[in-house]
Amino acid sequence: MSTKVGDSLIGTHGAVVRYIFKRRKESELTLIPGEVITVTSQVNDIGWCEGINSNGECGLFPGQNVELVMDSVPVAEIEETCAPDSTYEVIDAVEFRSKNSNSYSDTSESIDQDYEMIIPEPEDKRSSNESTPKRISRLYHLTKTEAEPFLAGKTVKTTTKIQLTFNENGASWVYPVVPLECTITNPQLETKYSGMKKYISYQITPNDTNVSVYHRYKHFDWLYCRLIEKFGSVIPIPLLPEKDIPWRYSNDFVQARMDGLQAWISRISRHPIISQSEIFQHFIRRRDKKEWKAGKRSAEKDEATGGMIFSEVMPSSEFRLLDVEETEKYLTFAKCMGESVRNLIIVTEEHMTRCTGTVKSEYLKIGKAFSDFSASFAKSTYHGKGSIGNALSFVGKTYDDIGNLYFDQPKKDIHGLLEISKEYKGLLSCFPDIINVLKGAIEKAHEYEKLSQVNKVTVKEKEAIVFKAGIVSSAIQAEMNHFNHELTNDYKETIQHFLYEQVQMYSKITDKLREAYARFEF
């Protein structure tokens, strides 16, 4: 926890936060753009400083994220010098780069290196080298104007065509005849720079070719960022397993990361649009190093990203503009389901903690009590003491076994329920922003309908906007239908498995109690 410091004056240096920084350790200080910070000292030679924020919390932060204002001035005066309409660039994700490397994304699995923070430059100062991948926040925010360039008639170069079909549920994606499946196996520890850099690569094998490619975590992270950039306006992208810098590549770490990557790529592979997209096909097919790099550059230059993804949807006479009531139902569902999933996570985590802690302890206490009771009978001179003593001893062992069954059970049932719930928690958190894009398109269509009525725009202009808003409506409706299908099937299978494993556990408990009961038939 950050330490409270009762000091309201800027000490040696006063600084204003220009870039957001989210702490990753308890010793670090979260920075909010526009906030005034007391910089008390510089702690190392790579720009990290120690300071106090306006709430009196003390911690470490990167010096590049703040701008020095003046010395020895009260906080209130500095806050007054910051114009209320000043704008600060908000960066949700921070990059790190090895001081000995030119790569912007090699740090996810590097060992024993120092890192410096990379602060993205403003657009007008950014280098013309567009091949440098942009880091994208895992939780980003779309605006109602995201699709406005598309609605306004902007065109981009693209050869991809996304087809929709229509049924009683409205719009749906067109699914491939043979669903794509990708398996991740055979993690390998590899090195470069004469063994100074180590990383794990994973074998990825699609079911349609059985031809494998190898990728490391940073390649998955690159793909994740590109998928958000391209499809994020209409499709929620599942979160990758957390980025980490392991100091030792233990078997548990590698297995856990591989399981997480498998769950991630399985969901991506099942999506009818993402799985057939050029960028994903490039990821699972390209084995040659030159082809891989060329494909990356091509993906990073793709113009049909953000709201322009709707330009890839093939025209149809069945496009329908959703009304406000339908849109609100989507939003209500996403928020309600998100809250239910979060509550399910809390409850199952609490239950798992009890099973591996207090529940096991309670059964072990009961077992010990029966064992001690059995030992007391051994001191009796009664000739039949052996039968009751042995029976009680068996009861003690039975309760010990029950406690161990509870302890081992979560990894068989609760773990799977938790993992799928955490996955859906991330997916559901994307829908309010996606629906926000839909609302913006509907509002624009209604605006043009009103303008047409007073002859401020032509009927043709109005129809063009309404048609394009119908594309946005139909695409997002197709995604909602796909998501609900996945949600239903995933929880059906997961809860069936959970209940099956629960039945198996309680059957074992029942069998043990019956066996203990039979010991008293003497």
Side-chain angles (χ1 to χ4, degrees), residues 167-283:
N167 52 39
E168 65 276 7
N169 295 319
S172 296
W173 302 123
V174 175
Y175 290 79
V177 176
V178 180
L180 179 65
E181 295 178 8
C182 294
T183 56
I184 299 180
T185 54
N186 194 26
Q188 297 181 354
L189 179 62
E190 299 185 14
T191 62
K192 59 192 300 187
Y193 306 134
S194 301
M196 295 182 65
K197 185 178 182 68
K198 299 179 182 179
Y199 59 90
I200 301 290
S201 64
Y202 304 88
Q203 183 180 9
I204 305 168
T205 309
N207 63 332
D208 54 354
T209 63
N210 287 322
V211 177
S212 300
V213 296
Y214 283 85
H215 284 299
R216 44 191 297 199
Y217 182 89
K218 75 165 190 175
H219 297 158
F220 283 91
D221 196 49
W222 171 86
L223 175 63
Y224 171 79
C225 291
R226 299 285 74 74
L227 291 179
I228 284 185
E229 186 176 36
K230 183 168 180 66
F231 297 106
S233 296
V234 63
I235 299 171
I237 307 301
L239 295 175
L240 273 176
E242 284 299 317
K243 180 176 278 192
D244 198 1
I245 303 176
W247 301 111
R248 295 184 180 86
Y249 288 108
S250 66
N251 290 336
D252 289 344
F253 172 85
V254 173
Q255 185 62 48
R257 170 165 282 184
M258 187 170 71
D259 290 345
L261 292 175
Q262 179 65 71
W264 186 83
I265 204 169
S266 292
R267 183 166 298 281
I268 295 295
S269 299
R270 290 198 304 270
H271 197 284
I273 304 305
I274 299 179
S275 64
Q276 303 304 309
S277 67
E278 185 176 343
I279 185 173
F280 187 69
Q281 289 291 315
H282 165 72
F283 182 79

Side-chain angles (χ1 to χ4, degrees), residues 392-403:
L392 287 169
S393 177
F394 189 84
V395 171
K397 182 179 181 305
T398 296
Y399 277 92
D400 286 348
D401 290 343
I402 292 173

Side-chain angles (χ1 to χ4, degrees), residues 318-334:
E318 297 186 78
F319 288 146
R320 183 175 68 86
L321 184 66
L322 296 177
D323 57 38
V324 175
E325 185 178 350
E326 289 175 295
T327 305
E328 287 300 327
K329 285 181 179 179
Y330 286 160
L331 186 59
T332 300
F333 163 75

Side-chain angles (χ1 to χ4, degrees), residues 332-344:
T332 300
F333 163 75
K335 289 182 176 180
C336 182
M337 182 59 70
E339 184 61 33
S340 297
V341 167
R342 285 191 292 272
N343 183 59
L344 183 60

Side-chain angles (χ1 to χ4, degrees), residues 57-75:
E57 297 174 335
C58 181
L60 303 176
F61 60 89
Q64 298 98 317
N65 286 40
V66 302
E67 180 178 328
L68 195 64
V69 178
M70 56 188 73
D71 296 344
S72 303
V73 177
V75 167

